[in-house]
Amino acid sequence: MDMADARQTLANFEKAAAFMMNPSGQVSSEEYRMAEKIFLSFRRVKQPYPICKYMLENSSNAYVHFQAVSAIKEAIVREWKLIDESDKNSLRSFLLNYVIGQSGCQDFVREQILSCIAIMLKRSIITDSGIKDLDSLLSNVYQMIDGNSSKVRLDSCSLMASMLNEFSVNPKSSRISLSWEFHIKAKKKFESGPLKKICIIAFESLQQCNRNLNQDLKILEKYLELSEQVLTWNFNELSPNRPKSGHTDSGKLIAFKPGRNWSDIISNQSTIDLFLELYQKVRHESRLCYLILACISQLASIGGDVFQAFHARAHYITYLVASLVKARARKICHGNEAQGLAEVFNRIVTVDKLMKHIQDETLLAFIGDLSHLTCVCLENAVKEEMDSMDETFYCYAADQLLECWYSIVSEDNENFDVSRISQNIVMVFECYLKCHLSDGRKSIYPILTGNNAEIEIDELEEDDSTVHSGQLLSIGVLGRSILPRSLPLLSQLLENRILTLRQYISNRLAVTIDHSALMDDIHWLILIVGSVLIDEIGPELPLIPSPILRYSDKLSRSDNYANLVKLISHICCNDSRSIDDNMLQLLHLEGIDHILAITFLMLFIVRIEQETVQSSLADSLSPQVGKTILWFLIRWCQVYLLPREESYDQISLSLVLTFGRDSDLGAQITKFVIGKILSNLTFWNGESDIVMETIKLLSTLVDNKARCYIAISCEDLWNLAVQQAGNTNSSLRKLSGTAQKQLAKALVTAGSCIDDNDARDRFWSTLLDPLKNRFLTTLLQPVLAKMMEDSALRNELCITIDCCSGVALASTSSSIPALFSYLSSILRDCISLLQQFSNITDIVECILELFVNVEEKYIELYLILQLLSHVTTKDYLDFSDKESNVPQDCEIISVIDVLLCGLNFIIPLMTENLLKFPDLCLQYFKLISFQCECYPEKINEIPQSLSNLLLISLNIALTRFGSEVNKMALESVTALASYAYQHKCNTERNGLMIGIEVFMKSILDLLFSEDFEMDLQQSTSEALFCVICCYPDAYKNLIGNFLLAQSNADLRNYLAECFNKLIPPSLSMQMVRSSKLQFGKNLRTFLADAKGAGKKSPLNRVHIKKIGINERSDQYLIRLRQVRFVILLEDQDLRQILGKMTPGTSGKGNCVVGEGAGGPAVVDSDGK
């Protein structure tokens, strides 16, 4: 390009840039599109380096600079193997000189240039010359530390940061269309030397900044960011398989594990001193402080081979902890510092195993500092919460620090007695109480009022038990380590709030009590009490915590014990008003078992709540507190009520005698809880959360056989079963379908535990016969006729079917025969209902949920797909003799016939919009993939219209919807092509075979696309190989025309050589395993060599345009159901392929295609 052309091109670019950067109101949409087209076209220009250099040197427009560098970057990725070594070095030198120290370069342009340089270094690092170039460059950067301007030092730092981004293979790395193996090799090469050099440069720069903090703090910040990048480097081996798209390890803890050769700069005390000195000097600067603490956090997590002996690591960590405690001096300047310190403390405790490495004196000093920092963060978290601050640094810090305490107290430390730090634990535990009770919160935040507390409860998106589950778990562990202190304190606070509540309810007008603050206090006290008494409920059998058992065993069973048992029994059988002050004095006697005292208090508040709602005074209570009470009861009943004694090696005799299987009190409490359940379902039926938790409580009662025996003997439970099945209780009728389903499931489960067959059948009859009658009533013709117009009747039908689903969900291997006899006729009748109400989504969904026996909320298509998957996989894996038990006069229907019938219904409905739903899309292609792999012969026999739509969806799935769907589509193509090859079907010209031929182009387009996932390489290789085996001539024509379209002779010859290496004469294109494997190896080489050079491919120039019904042209007309499209074919090779598909139409004909740049999947050759 001569100078005149270069100036004209630059003028055009600057004009286009002006259009792109101007506000939208000043530029027409057409001008904007044209400007955008200029830049997009320029990025595809081959070898644009001279004109790009000219633009960078002669233009003052930053947007033009950015586009020029972007074009260079894409060309480097695309044409790397076509560029001479001298040109590479010259281009890299030009870019370095252009960016380093140049004040006129905008930041976004500079970052793009540095990224471009980093890509060039990465591409060449696996060669000897490449590693030498990188070492030389880093040596030059090292020289820039001294005697250079701030600008040069900042740019040098940015260059090293770009290198770290590229070589670490993280989301900030550029996509350079290379194999995963290349990325692994490049990372290892970088770790072998250049990474350590960058670390040395960063640390020595920080030393200079430490000596002279009067200079620009921006330099300090940049080198701290660089140091953090180095110290968070993941030295672990990369997985041999490329991670899935969108998958990152950004949330994972990355321990710093350098090799042994790093010990001289990492494991010595001077590095610790450097960062702690900087911390003390700039801790008031929030950003700098946080970066320094992030580096210290990584230094605290050092692992790998740096320390050659245990004592060396212990000495290092002890020095770091002692120096940190001294440097901190129990001061906190801001939230960023608190968050950073919390992360450092957390690393020291959880990663370094504090108790094993730190010496005794240093350990106690650290624990003291940890308790002080925890309390400071807890109190400041209250201020953050009440000020509704967007940044919650102290809340995050409190979470991290409480996690530290959990690790310290819960770990089995043989060499350390936790009782030595009991005062610190008491300090943290009482501070947590203070920060969650109204009196304490007001002392922290004096302007706090009851209204603030009410907002805190009502406006939470999730429950506190969920949001603060980690904190509550830690506080529970702390509370159990100081039970002689924590239980009496909690009992006293809980009793005080309950008596205040009773006073408020009895005379609301006469007392001046902050109701919202009281409800908030009760809510948090119950959460804390429940966390102390009960450990985290997981998938394993929940047990009484060992510290509780030991505490209970130490208490003597005196008269006070017997009186306390009587008090609990009394509240189970009498109203709350019968509890007077004299009875409550028992709770204050010395030596009382506070586990039993707290149990009484919780039953006491349950009784108060129950009486209050029954007296139409529910506004005196809080639904949140009601739900929290249920949260406690569910957990307490699981662990304490009639516990499974055989699961314990040792169990407290006191607790067994009080709540065990043979205790009268255990039975009384079970019946009391049943009464509570009935009360909630009657009086709290408008609160859906309370209803669902109540039903969960019932399920908890009946999931233990001992508890279930007692529950089933309760008349209240039988009444509930009758009312729920017959829909006779007006309160129960208000429950949602989901609640009705879960209630039916719990009641049927209760019946399953009855050993006596007659008694069990009688209970189930009580429950199931009315339910069945309700269903049969809906089948009466007058009712069905009204149902189309009456939404109330339709809702009643849905609820009835939901109850049947609950029955199905409760079935077990032992109860299936009996329950199926009830459900079989209902299932048969549901088929006719499904046909009659096929256009009413709610009814269809309820019926399908009943059939598949799941309760996930998916649309009916998903349920049908899931049902078909169940049927096919069950039959495919069933090796029994199906014909042996079938009468001779019965016709056997194969599973594939059922599947094809279902697909005939499903495939026309699977529009592209529906396929955008991930779960639905995945389930659909799972089913299609199964059919293609297991029954390919049936695909060849299905009707043409169904085959067309099936292949359209497969063609779309080759390039869209994520790698998992892409893989299933490729496997489907492989299966179909394999079948066609083995059965010589490729000689036929039906729609299926034509579609397989055109998949060849779609697969090639997939390979040449920029976002091709390398983990799809094997599946793509197999699919392409099978299709080429079927149609070798079509492959030759396609590639021949592709090469002829290349105007550059050198590029054409280079690509021809690549294609020849892909399928050399020595490779037998027979569908055998050895040929498949060799083709796969060849394809890996082909992708590395040819992919970038072939990006500007005529294979990617196919467009689809929607036209009107009456519009006509000489282009190919395509009909897809009721929608018409036109393909604008720019390439003769594709015209030839379409000509083969539409014989006798002289360029016109009806054929079905896929959508987008992936190209057409033509499957209809007969015009239908």
Side-chain angles (χ1 to χ4, degrees):
M1 180 180 292
D2 57 27
M3 290 300 297
D5 291 338
R7 283 194 291 270
Q8 183 59 47
T9 301
L10 177 57
N12 293 337
F13 269 57
E14 289 183 337
K15 182 179 179 182
F19 287 142
M20 295 288 290
M21 302 304 291
N22 274 343
S24 57
Q26 301 177 15
V27 178
S28 69
S29 57
E30 182 62 28
E31 289 174 326
Y32 186 88
R33 281 196 300 271
M34 290 301 296
E36 186 178 40
K37 185 176 180 180
I38 288 173
F39 289 119
L40 292 177
S41 300
F42 181 67
R43 289 194 182 187
R44 295 193 291 269
V45 170
K46 294 185 178 72
Q47 300 180 352
Y49 316 112
I51 184 62
C52 290
K53 289 181 181 180
Y54 180 82
M55 291 179 181
L56 289 170
E57 291 173 334
N58 293 278
S59 176
S60 59
N61 190 307
Y63 189 77
V64 172
H65 293 166
F66 179 80
Q67 291 295 338
V69 178
S70 298
I72 292 175
K73 184 176 179 180
E74 292 193 17
I76 288 172
V77 172
R78 188 172 64 238
E79 303 171 354
W80 181 257
K81 291 203 171 186
L82 302 176
I83 308 174
D84 293 335
E85 281 301 317
S86 59
D87 292 338
K88 293 175 185 176
N89 295 332
S90 173
L91 179 60
R92 187 173 64 241
S93 299
F94 169 80
L95 293 174
L96 278 169
N97 293 330
Y98 183 85
V99 73
I100 300 296
Q102 299 298 320
S103 58
C105 189
Q106 295 290 330
D107 289 342
F108 67 95
V109 178
R110 178 181 295 105
E111 293 303 319
Q112 189 77 334
I113 293 175
L114 295 175
S115 174
C116 188
I117 296 170
I119 289 173
M120 297 178 75
L121 293 169
K122 183 173 182 176
R123 286 300 306 260
S124 60
I125 195 172
I126 60 175
T127 64
D128 291 338
S129 60
I131 196 73
K132 289 179 182 178
D133 289 341
L134 181 54
D135 287 339
S136 174
L137 176 61
L138 290 175
S139 298
N140 292 334
V141 170
Y142 184 78
Q143 300 300 321
M144 296 177 187
I145 296 177
D146 296 316
N148 276 288
S149 65
S150 299
K151 187 72 176 60
V152 171
R153 297 178 66 186
L154 288 172
D155 290 342
S156 301
C157 188
S158 297
L159 173 61
M160 290 184 285
S162 293
M163 293 182 199
L164 292 172
N165 285 334
E166 286 301 331
F167 283 97
S168 63
V169 193
N170 62 28
K172 294 182 180 179
S173 305
S174 302
R175 299 182 68 93
I176 56 177
S177 302
L178 288 175
S179 67
W180 187 240
E181 291 80 3
F182 173 85
H183 291 288
I184 294 175
K185 289 179 183 177
K187 180 174 180 287
K188 286 183 178 179
K189 281 279 191 179
F190 189 71
E191 290 170 353
S192 66
L195 179 61
K196 184 181 176 183
K197 289 184 179 180
I198 291 177
C199 184
I200 293 172
I201 294 171
F203 284 6
E204 293 200 11
S205 297
L206 291 177
Q207 289 282 13
Q208 287 193 6
C209 294
N210 187 36
R211 290 191 294 267
N212 182 20
L213 279 179
N214 295 325
Q215 60 182 322
D216 187 2
L217 290 180
K218 186 66 177 177
I219 296 177
L220 175 59
E221 181 181 353
K222 291 290 287 185
Y223 278 98
L224 283 172
E225 289 174 350
L226 184 66
S227 300
E228 185 191 17
Q229 267 190 284
V230 173
L231 293 173
T232 54
W233 184 272
N234 189 350
F235 281 90
N236 295 331
E237 291 285 339
L238 290 176
S239 168
N241 297 318
R242 184 187 293 267
K244 290 184 178 180
S245 178
H247 175 77
T248 67
D249 294 330
S250 57
K252 291 176 62 177
L253 171 67
I254 299 176
F256 189 56
K257 296 181 179 180
R260 187 171 297 179
N261 62 325
W262 284 66
S263 59
D264 57 327
I265 60 169
I266 291 295
S267 62
N268 58 40
Q269 296 178 358
S270 62
T271 301
I272 298 173
D273 293 339
L274 167 63
F275 283 99
L276 288 176
E277 286 175 18
L278 286 169
Y279 164 62
Q280 288 178 298
K281 292 178 180 178
V282 300
R283 65 191 304 178
H284 56 281
E285 297 284 345
S286 61
R287 173 63 180 165
L288 298 178
C289 179
Y290 182 77
L291 287 171
I292 293 169
L293 291 172
C295 292
I296 295 173
S297 176
Q298 287 303 110
L299 291 173
S301 67
I302 291 180
D305 298 329
V306 173
F307 300 105
Q308 300 180 27
F310 176 84
H311 67 85
R313 178 175 177 79
H315 179 73
Y316 173 84
I317 294 299
T318 300
Y319 182 81
L320 187 151
V321 168
S323 302
L324 175 63
V325 171
K326 182 179 179 181
R328 196 179 84 77
R330 297 203 173 185
K331 295 178 182 177
I332 290 290
C333 295
H334 44 76
N336 260 317
E337 182 182 10
Q339 180 175 332
L341 283 169
E343 290 177 352
V344 174
F345 278 51
N346 189 280
R347 286 288 182 94
I348 291 172
V349 173
T350 59
V351 176
D352 288 308
K353 303 301 179 186
L354 178 77
M355 307 300 184
K356 295 181 180 179
H357 291 99
I358 301 181
Q359 298 174 6
D360 194 58
E361 183 180 345
T362 304
L363 174 60
L364 293 178
F366 176 81
I367 295 293
D369 204 40
L370 175 63
S371 58
H372 172 268
L373 181 60
T374 305
C375 293
V376 169
C377 290
L378 285 170
E379 292 181 1
N380 279 282
V382 173
K383 297 176 182 178
E384 279 183 341
E385 181 184 353
M386 301 321 300
D387 285 335
S388 300
M389 297 175 66
D390 294 332
E391 300 288 349
T392 53
F393 298 111
Y394 288 103
C395 289
Y396 174 84
D399 287 341
Q400 294 283 303
L401 295 170
L402 288 172
E403 187 180 328
C404 293
W405 285 105
Y406 178 86
S407 297
I408 292 170
V409 176
S410 64
E411 285 183 5
D412 185 15
N413 301 299
E414 298 177 358
N415 302 323
F416 185 80
D417 182 6
V418 176
S419 64
R420 295 177 60 189
I421 57 172
S422 58
Q423 290 303 314
N424 301 100
I425 295 174
V426 169
M427 176 181 172
V428 173
F429 186 82
E430 292 183 350
C431 181
Y432 192 85
L433 280 171
K434 173 185 175 182
C435 293
H436 290 85
L437 299 181
S438 56
D439 292 341
R441 291 166 70 86
K442 288 175 183 176
S443 68
I444 298 169
Y445 197 86
I447 62 172
L448 178 66
T449 65
N451 290 333
N452 295 119
E454 185 176 9
I455 291 173
E456 179 186 4
I457 289 179
D458 292 341
E459 293 189 356
L460 281 174
E461 293 182 2
E462 290 185 285
D463 294 324
D464 288 319
S465 60
T466 302
V467 174
H468 301 290
S469 58
Q471 287 190 4
L472 291 170
L473 183 63
S474 300
I475 287 299
V477 169
L478 291 180
R480 288 194 291 275
S481 69
I482 51 168
L483 286 171
R485 172 61 181 164
S486 63
L487 287 183
L489 176 61
L490 290 171
S491 177
Q492 179 185 350
L493 292 170
L494 190 59
E495 178 191 357
N496 174 270
R497 299 316 192 270
I498 292 173
L499 293 178
T500 304
L501 175 63
R502 184 167 71 166
Q503 180 187 2
Y504 176 82
I505 293 172
S506 62
N507 194 359
R508 290 191 293 175
L509 298 178
V511 296
T512 55
I513 294 173
D514 189 336
H515 177 259
S516 298
L518 176 61
M519 291 294 101
D520 194 29
D521 286 358
I522 293 173
H523 164 70
W524 275 103
L525 279 171
I526 294 173
L527 288 176
I528 295 170
V529 164
S531 300
V532 173
L533 290 184
I534 303 135
D535 205 349
E536 183 180 24
I537 302 294
E540 302 85 7
L541 177 69
L543 300 175
I544 301 172
S546 298
I548 298 286
L549 295 176
R550 292 193 294 268
Y551 170 83
S552 179
D553 273 339
K554 290 179 183 178
L555 298 172
S556 60
R557 287 184 297 279
S558 59
D559 291 341
N560 291 337
Y561 165 78
N563 292 333
L564 192 50
V565 171
K566 291 178 182 178
L567 186 60
I568 296 174
S569 176
H570 180 87
I571 196 61
C572 288
C573 305
N574 299 277
D575 61 40
S576 63
R577 290 182 293 274
S578 64
I579 303 296
D580 55 28
D581 292 341
N582 291 330
M583 292 181 175
L584 293 175
Q585 286 302 315
L586 178 63
L587 304 180
H588 305 284
L589 297 178
E590 187 175 352
I592 197 75
D593 188 339
H594 285 94
I595 300 172
L596 302 186
I598 289 174
T599 300
F600 160 75
L601 289 170
M602 287 306 304
L603 298 179
F604 188 20
I605 193 173
V606 168
R607 179 65 80 184
I608 292 173
E609 182 204 31
Q610 191 174 339
E611 293 167 355
T612 302
V613 296
Q614 290 173 357
S615 303
S616 301
L617 296 174
D619 58 336
S620 302
L621 304 172
S622 160
Q624 178 67 52
V625 170
K627 189 176 178 182
T628 308
I629 290 172
L630 288 167
W631 172 88
F632 176 88
L633 287 176
I634 291 168
R635 293 162 63 90
W636 188 89
C637 289
Q638 278 184 292
V639 176
Y640 287 88
L641 185 57
L642 280 64
R644 292 184 173 93
E645 299 166 22
E646 65 276 5
S647 301
Y648 295 85
D649 295 330
Q650 287 184 326
I651 190 171
S652 166
L653 181 61
S654 173
L655 293 177
V656 169
L657 292 175
T658 309
F659 306 119
R661 296 177 183 176
D662 299 322
S663 66
D664 294 335
L665 189 58
Q668 288 180 341
I669 294 176
T670 301
K671 294 177 181 178
F672 174 80
V673 173
I674 292 290
K676 164 67 174 171
I677 290 169
L678 286 176
S679 173
N680 275 13
L681 293 177
T682 302
F683 297 101
W684 283 113
N685 53 55
E687 296 287 340
S688 59
D689 288 343
I690 290 182
V691 168
M692 295 306 297
E693 289 296 300
T694 301
I695 296 171
K696 187 176 179 181
L697 176 58
L698 176 59
S699 300
T700 299
L701 281 184
V702 300
D703 70 1
N704 173 307
K705 210 159 192 178
R707 292 194 297 263
C708 195
Y709 281 146
I710 299 171
I712 208 71
S713 66
C714 293
E715 185 179 350
D716 286 344
L717 190 66
W718 284 75
N719 292 336
L720 176 61
V722 171
Q723 294 169 5
Q724 200 264 349
N727 204 23
T728 57
N729 187 312
S730 59
S731 297
L732 295 181
R733 281 201 297 268
K734 297 177 182 178
L735 302 183
S736 66
T738 302
Q740 298 263 19
K741 181 197 305 180
Q742 294 302 320
L743 181 56
K745 177 186 174 183
L747 291 171
V748 173
T749 302
S752 301
C753 79
I754 304 175
D755 291 330
D756 181 79
N757 291 336
D758 292 337
R760 182 176 61 246
D761 291 342
R762 188 169 67 255
F763 181 82
W764 278 347
S765 296
T766 301
L767 175 64
L768 300 177
D769 285 346
L771 179 60
K772 188 174 182 180
N773 291 333
R774 281 171 57 189
F775 179 79
L776 293 175
T777 302
T778 62
L779 298 180
L780 299 175
Q781 194 59 39
V783 178
L784 287 175
K786 293 180 181 178
M787 198 173 293
M788 298 297 294
E789 306 296 332
D790 193 332
S791 60
L793 287 176
R794 292 199 300 270
N795 185 59
E796 166 62 18
L797 175 60
C798 288
I799 288 177
T800 303
I801 296 173
D802 281 332
C803 291
C804 295
S805 292
V807 174
L809 287 170
S811 62
T812 61
S813 57
S814 60
S815 63
I816 281 177
L819 294 178
F820 186 75
S821 65
Y822 284 97
L823 290 176
S824 57
S825 61
I826 293 176
L827 292 172
R828 283 195 298 270
D829 292 333
C830 278
I831 296 174
S832 61
L833 285 176
L834 189 61
Q835 295 171 340
Q836 188 159 357
F837 296 102
S838 59
N839 61 335
I840 300 179
T841 303
D842 293 342
I843 295 178
V844 171
E845 193 171 333
C846 288
I847 294 173
L848 291 174
E849 282 186 3
L850 173 60
F851 272 100
V852 296
N853 197 13
V854 294
E855 58 178 301
E856 298 173 33
K857 296 181 179 179
Y858 290 109
I859 60 175
E860 55 265 31
L861 275 178
Y862 181 86
L863 294 173
I864 293 174
L865 288 168
Q866 195 176 43
L867 180 60
L868 287 172
S869 295
H870 285 321
V871 171
T872 52
T873 53
K874 180 180 182 299
D875 183 87
Y876 191 70
L877 299 174
D878 186 357
F879 302 105
S880 60
D881 185 2
K882 302 178 181 64
E883 299 184 4
S884 59
N885 298 320
V886 179
Q888 293 183 355
D889 58 343
C890 289
E891 181 184 357
I892 299 176
I893 300 176
S894 68
V895 66
I896 186 57
D897 292 331
V898 176
L899 179 58
L900 288 174
C901 180
L903 288 177
N904 197 37
F905 169 71
I906 285 290
I907 290 177
L909 301 178
M910 294 306 298
T911 63
E912 188 176 341
N913 286 332
L914 279 180
L915 289 174
K916 292 176 182 177
F917 292 95
D919 288 343
L920 190 62
C921 179
L922 190 62
Q923 193 72 32
Y924 171 73
F925 285 108
K926 277 182 181 178
L927 193 61
I928 295 299
S929 177
F930 177 85
Q931 181 177 350
C932 291
E933 292 186 45
C934 298
Y935 306 103
E937 70 281 0
K938 295 293 184 178
I939 299 290
N940 195 36
E941 299 172 3
I942 61 177
Q944 184 70 53
S945 58
L946 188 63
S947 173
N948 292 348
L949 298 174
L950 173 63
L951 292 172
I952 290 171
S953 61
L954 280 177
N955 190 65
I956 296 173
L958 285 173
T959 55
R960 306 223 354 232
F961 312 129
S963 59
E964 189 172 2
V965 171
N966 298 156
K967 187 172 184 289
M968 286 187 285
L970 288 165
E971 290 170 349
S972 301
V973 172
T974 300
L976 294 175
S978 298
Y979 173 80
Y981 180 86
Q982 293 165 6
H983 294 81
K984 308 300 181 185
C985 297
N986 51 322
T987 59
E988 304 174 15
R989 299 305 297 167
N990 61 23
L992 176 63
M993 295 305 108
I994 295 171
I996 292 175
E997 180 179 350
V998 178
F999 277 139
M1000 183 190 302
K1001 180 198 158 306
S1002 300
I1003 296 170
L1004 286 170
D1005 286 340
L1006 175 65
L1007 283 169
F1008 275 94
S1009 64
E1010 288 187 26
D1011 55 352
F1012 175 66
E1013 296 284 350
M1014 296 302 291
D1015 57 347
L1016 292 175
Q1017 185 172 295
Q1018 182 178 349
S1019 300
T1020 309
S1021 170
E1022 292 178 358
L1024 182 58
F1025 176 80
C1026 292
V1027 173
I1028 294 175
C1029 285
C1030 288
Y1031 300 103
D1033 293 337
Y1035 170 75
K1036 293 176 183 177
N1037 292 336
L1038 189 62
I1039 299 306
N1041 289 323
F1042 165 64
L1043 294 174
L1044 289 175
Q1046 304 301 317
S1047 57
N1048 186 305
D1050 292 337
L1051 177 60
R1052 185 189 311 119
N1053 294 333
Y1054 177 79
L1055 289 174
E1057 183 182 351
C1058 292
F1059 279 112
N1060 289 334
K1061 289 179 181 178
L1062 177 62
I1063 306 181
S1066 59
L1067 179 61
S1068 173
M1069 293 304 288
Q1070 302 293 319
M1071 213 170 284
V1072 293
R1073 185 172 183 273
S1074 58
S1075 296
K1076 270 188 185 180
L1077 293 176
Q1078 186 59 49
F1079 182 81
K1081 293 178 182 178
N1082 294 349
L1083 185 64
R1084 281 195 292 273
T1085 305
F1086 174 83
L1087 287 175
D1089 293 345
K1091 184 174 179 181
K1095 273 196 175 182
K1096 191 180 180 185
S1097 161
L1099 295 173
N1100 292 320
R1101 300 205 305 272
V1102 179
H1103 314 284
I1104 297 179
K1105 176 183 176 183
K1106 188 172 181 179
I1107 64 172
I1109 295 296
N1110 298 318
E1111 188 172 348
R1112 290 292 183 268
S1113 71
D1114 290 331
Q1115 297 148 336
Y1116 286 93
L1117 181 65
I1118 295 120
R1119 180 188 297 272
L1120 173 56
R1121 298 175 71 192
Q1122 299 302 316
V1123 183
R1124 298 185 177 187
F1125 298 84
V1126 165
I1127 285 190
L1128 307 179
L1129 297 172
E1130 301 178 2
D1131 300 299
Q1132 185 63 30
D1133 55 329
L1134 296 182
R1135 288 181 179 274
Q1136 290 175 359
I1137 292 176
L1138 282 179
K1140 295 177 185 178
M1141 299 171 189
T1142 55
T1145 57
S1146 65
K1148 298 181 180 179
N1150 294 333
C1151 39
V1152 182
V1153 299
E1155 178 185 4
V1162 183
V1163 295
D1164 186 357
S1165 61
D1166 57 6
K1168 294 183 180 178

